[in-house]
Amino acid sequence: MWVILVYDISTVDKEGQKRLNKVRKIVKRYIHHVQKSVFEGSISLSRLERLKAELLEVIDRRQDSLIIYIFEDMVNHSREILTEGEDPTSNLL
C-alpha cells in the first residue's frame, strides 16, 4: 500500500521540539521525506502498524496533529508538482 503521512507537531516548548525531532526520525525509517512535514512511500500493513505504534508513543494527542492517507492501490492515483524544485522522490528506485 501507499501512504502519505503529514504531521504538525506543536513546538511552543522544548518538549514539542523534541517530539518533532523524534517523529521525523521515526517516520524516515519507514517512508520517504518529501517536504518539511510530509512523507510518502510504499509500506506493508505490518510496518504501517509498527510505525503508528511508535508515533503514538511520542506524540501528544492533545497538541499535535498526525494524519496518514492510505491508498490500498495506486490505480486511480496521480501526483502533480506545481513548483519548479526537483521532485524529492526522483532519486528513488
Side-chain angles (χ1 to χ4, degrees):
M1 72 180 62
W2 189 265
V3 297
I4 297 173
L5 184 148
V6 296
Y7 59 72
D8 185 10
I9 306 298
S10 174
T11 56
V12 294
D13 57 19
K14 285 186 177 183
E15 291 303 314
Q17 188 61 48
K18 288 179 184 176
R19 287 196 313 277
L20 175 62
N21 292 332
K22 288 180 182 177
V23 165
R24 186 180 304 122
K25 286 179 184 177
I26 290 169
V27 179
K28 276 185 174 181
R29 291 197 321 256
Y30 291 88
I31 52 180
H32 308 287
H33 192 200
V34 178
Q35 291 184 351
K36 285 186 178 178
S37 300
V38 180
F39 291 76
E40 69 180 33
S42 177
I43 189 169
S44 68
L45 180 59
S46 62
R47 286 181 52 85
L48 177 60
E49 293 303 320
R50 194 175 324 142
L51 169 61
K52 291 188 319 190
E54 287 186 45
L55 291 173
L56 288 172
E57 291 180 11
V58 173
I59 63 170
D60 182 325
R61 292 184 191 200
R62 289 174 288 135
Q63 296 184 50
D64 304 330
S65 173
L66 196 152
I67 301 170
I68 302 173
Y69 299 91
I70 300 170
F71 303 90
E72 296 296 332
D73 61 51
M74 298 295 285
V75 174
N76 296 316
H77 169 266
S78 66
R79 183 170 183 260
E80 294 182 23
I81 298 175
L82 304 179
T83 57
E84 294 181 10
E86 182 179 338
D87 179 353
T89 62
S90 64
N91 61 350
L92 303 177
L93 297 176

